[in-house]
Amino acid sequence: MLHVGVNGYGTIGKRVADAVRAQPDMTIAGVTKTSPDFAAEGARAAGYPLYACDEGSVDEFHAAGLAVDGTVEDMVDASDVVVDATPGGVGAEYRPLYEAHDTPAVFQGAEAPDVAETSFNSRANFETARDADYVRVVSCNTTGLSRLLAPLAETYGVEKARTTLVRRGGDPTQSERGPINDILPDPVEVPSHHGPDVQTIFPDLSIDTLGLTVPATLMHLHSVNVTLESTPDPHEVRDLLDAESRLFVVPERSGIESCGQLREYARDAGRPRGDVWENCVWGESITVEGRDFYCFQAIHQEADVVPENVDALRAMFDMADAEESVARTNAALGLERDGDARPDPRVAADD
Ligand code: NAD
């Protein structure tokens, strides 16, 4: 059993904790909270050992009636590995603490790539994290693009990828973020920083990205064009994407035409928190014109990096190869195509 500590129990941290607990070969050593708020109560109710971020806040937890098992240092001591899901930049500040305790760590996408030995995506470069002490799981957008580009690159070769990322303004809990009623080129510079982040996974890939931010909290939406090195058969490319366990090709007959409906679909299927761990690629949008591939895909920003964090842990501790780890993670989460209520898109393709 791998004992995993989660430092930063926010949007990503609480989901990673639940995903780790669901695995047969991992357990949660503890989670940290900065204050005794509703999420701290939730962590206690879930049965996770709870640690305060520093000595100064321990009394605050006790005053709120929440027992803590110590501070973040105690949690690091009790852990074989830490998943750091603190806000961007805070993870880098914690790295010396992890090093001092000789504890490996997984960082998240808002950290600079040099916080870790490698940037990670389960589908594209699992092996780079094998036996590494410090690994960075790339952002939600980069994870989504990597999952789509990996099979296209392997099968057809990629000459050039161009993607417009329509980004959600904030997560549902982030009431301080916006815009409320606007559409922003964000960043206004072209290309955006997302392309270089994808290149931390595919160093030789030619990719340009443009970013916008819109008043939405549900998902990101990517408009994708990839010029391939060879000409694919349109049906074959759809089958190729269908066969990927973390790509959900949204069937035409489902009537799903929006991100809101995708999230409702996940809630109806009983997914925890209504999470959509897979990329959602609209089947009707998969189009091939000569060597140009096009599609729309939606990315649930709160969820897609969660299974990748679990796989990163297995790679670091040499617990499985990529295929086995992805299968184990998917099975434990209920992400298997035949294991949940979502329709089989291969059947829908024949409709
Ligand atoms: P969040 O703000 O929801 O959660 C961060 C948590 O860390 C909060 O609970 C906060 O209280 C806690 N924290 C703050 N300072 C701390 C400290 N010094 N020590 C311990 N805990 C501390 O943030 P998030 O959205 O979960 O993002 C975390 C990381 O995950 C970032 O790198 C982010 O880029 C990445 N990420 C976020 C999303 C997303 O859409 N939310 C998607 C993919 C990746």
Side-chain angles (χ1 to χ4, degrees):
M1 276 294 206
L2 188 68
H3 292 77
V4 183
V6 176
N7 191 18
Y9 191 72
T11 303
I12 300 300
K14 64 174 73 167
R15 287 170 166 82
V16 170
D18 291 354
V20 163
R21 182 165 63 176
Q23 307 304 312
D25 48 359
M26 299 178 187
T27 187
I28 287 294
V31 304
T32 65
K33 276 296 303 171
T34 51
S35 61
D37 64 3
F38 75 96
E41 280 177 24
R44 265 284 176 229
Y48 295 137
L50 180 64
Y51 294 85
C53 283
D54 50 44
E55 285 290 350
S57 58
V58 169
D59 288 346
E60 219 189 310
F61 280 85
H62 288 151
L66 277 177
V68 287
D69 297 276
T71 65
V72 62
E73 287 211 47
D74 300 315
M75 188 196 75
V76 173
D77 259 344
S79 304
D80 298 321
V81 58
V82 169
V83 173
D84 185 298
T86 58
V90 178
E93 290 171 12
Y94 268 114
R95 180 167 161 164
L97 175 72
Y98 305 144
E99 283 175 319
H101 289 258
D102 212 9
T103 304
V106 178
F107 297 96
Q108 308 304 314
E111 299 300 327
D114 65 6
V115 75
E117 292 152 52
T118 186
S119 291
F120 178 85
N121 173 257
S122 310
R123 176 63 180 80
N125 70 350
F126 185 96
E127 288 302 322
T128 64
R130 196 174 288 284
D131 297 325
D133 285 334
Y134 299 100
V135 171
R136 167 183 173 258
V137 170
V138 288
S139 74
C140 43
N141 280 308
T142 303
T143 296
L145 288 173
S146 300
R147 287 177 180 168
L148 180 67
L149 288 167
L152 292 175
E154 284 166 14
T155 310
Y156 305 110
V158 170
E159 185 177 298
K160 176 89 183 176
R162 301 171 192 83
T163 302
T164 301
L165 303 111
V166 181
R167 304 154 67 199
R168 57 88 177 103
D171 295 337
T173 54
Q174 294 175 313
S175 46
E176 73 282 9
R177 287 181 58 155
I180 292 175
N181 179 21
D182 210 343
I183 301 167
L184 315 180
D186 182 22
V188 74
E189 300 84 23
V190 178
S192 73
H193 56 273
H194 302 94
D197 201 38
V198 174
Q199 286 164 333
T200 66
I201 301 293
F202 303 93
D204 301 325
L205 182 77
S206 175
I207 178 167
D208 285 341
T209 50
L210 289 83
L212 295 95
T213 301
V214 297
T217 62
L218 296 172
M219 298 179 97
H220 301 299
L221 185 70
H222 296 171
S223 163
V224 181
N225 165 223
V226 184
T227 304
L228 302 165
E229 288 174 345
S230 56
T231 307
D233 175 272
H235 296 292
E236 277 175 21
V237 76
R238 179 175 174 139
D239 288 346
L240 178 77
L241 302 184
D242 263 358
E244 294 286 319
S245 68
R246 292 183 186 164
L247 296 184
F248 170 37
V249 177
V250 181
E252 286 82 337
R253 69 172 164 77
S254 67
I256 295 174
E257 296 174 351
S258 68
C259 294
Q261 287 170 325
L262 279 169
R263 296 295 309 281
E264 179 75 352
Y265 187 35
R267 285 191 289 266
D268 287 350
R271 290 283 183 94
R273 300 184 175 90
D275 280 354
V276 186
W277 296 297
E278 312 92 323
N279 294 21
C280 300
V281 181
W282 270 277
E284 286 157 289
S285 73
I286 297 172
T287 301
V288 174
E289 298 279 351
R291 288 191 290 119
D292 274 317
F293 164 90
Y294 298 90
C295 76
F296 286 122
Q297 66 169 1
I299 303 296
H300 184 194
Q301 75 282 354
E302 299 166 291
D304 73 328
V305 298
V306 171
E308 313 296 306
N309 271 272
V310 173
D311 293 329
L313 294 168
R314 284 208 189 89
M316 293 165 74
F317 286 85
D318 209 2
M319 294 163 74
D321 63 19
E323 196 178 340
E324 192 187 331
S325 179
V326 167
R328 222 184 277 174
T329 305
N330 289 356
L333 290 179
L335 197 152
E336 295 161 304
R337 178 162 293 161
D338 298 320
D340 60 28
R342 72 190 194 185
D344 185 338
R346 289 165 298 189
V347 176
D350 297 327
D351 280 358

